[in-house]
Structures are given as C-alpha cells and as structure tokens.
Amino acid sequence: MDAIRRLTSDKGVVIFSKSSCCMCYTVKVLFNDLGVNPMVHELDQNPEGRDIEKALMRLGCSTAVPAVYIGGTLIGSTNEVMSLHLGGCLVPLLSPYRIIM
C-alpha cells in the first residue's frame, strides 16, 4: 500500500491499468477527451504489478483495474468513474488537472 501512496501522491490523476484491458482503455480515452493527461501505470508491464493489484483490492477497489485516483483520493473503477461523469461530477473533480487547449 505504500507503493500506491507513493505513486499517487505527487500526480493529480493516476490510473492503474493493464494494457490488455478494454475498460482501462475506455477510462483512459475518456480522461484524454476531457483534457486530462493522467499518469498511467500499466500493472502488467510492472514487476511489482501483482503486489500493487492485490493492494488495490485491499483498499476497496471492486476490480483491481482500472483504479482511478484524483488528487490522491481513490475514486474507484469504471463504474464509479462513469457514474461521476454521467452525474456531471467528474469534470469539476478533473478541472484542476486539465491541460489548457
């Protein structure tokens, strides 16, 4: 869990992902479309990926990936991100981290 804190503390938006996961891809595209360039950690390409994945599950992620952090706070997985977006609450959360276009 220390690894997760270390990886999420200094970046505004962090996504823990797997390169072969279609839901991870969907979340990454959504964030890019909203003008955010998240720090993405591909767990299947990281030697510590399995341990990070287990720690994410212990922290309460319904699925290990995608796991989205905004401002150091765990938002959740695809369901939580999409619910926030459809409810109009995601963009305000992301506004401090948007790239000026």
Side-chain angles (χ1 to χ4, degrees), residues 29-73:
V29 168
L30 172 64
F31 279 47
N32 284 322
D33 287 350
L34 294 174
V36 175
N37 187 20
M39 170 60 73
V40 177
H41 296 283
E42 299 291 355
L43 298 183
D44 56 339
Q45 298 173 4
N46 182 332
E48 297 177 12
R50 280 251 191 237
D51 293 332
I52 293 172
E53 196 171 341
K54 290 175 187 174
L56 288 167
M57 295 296 287
R58 284 193 301 271
L59 288 171
C61 289
S62 55
T63 59
V65 294
V68 176
Y69 280 78
I70 300 175
T73 301

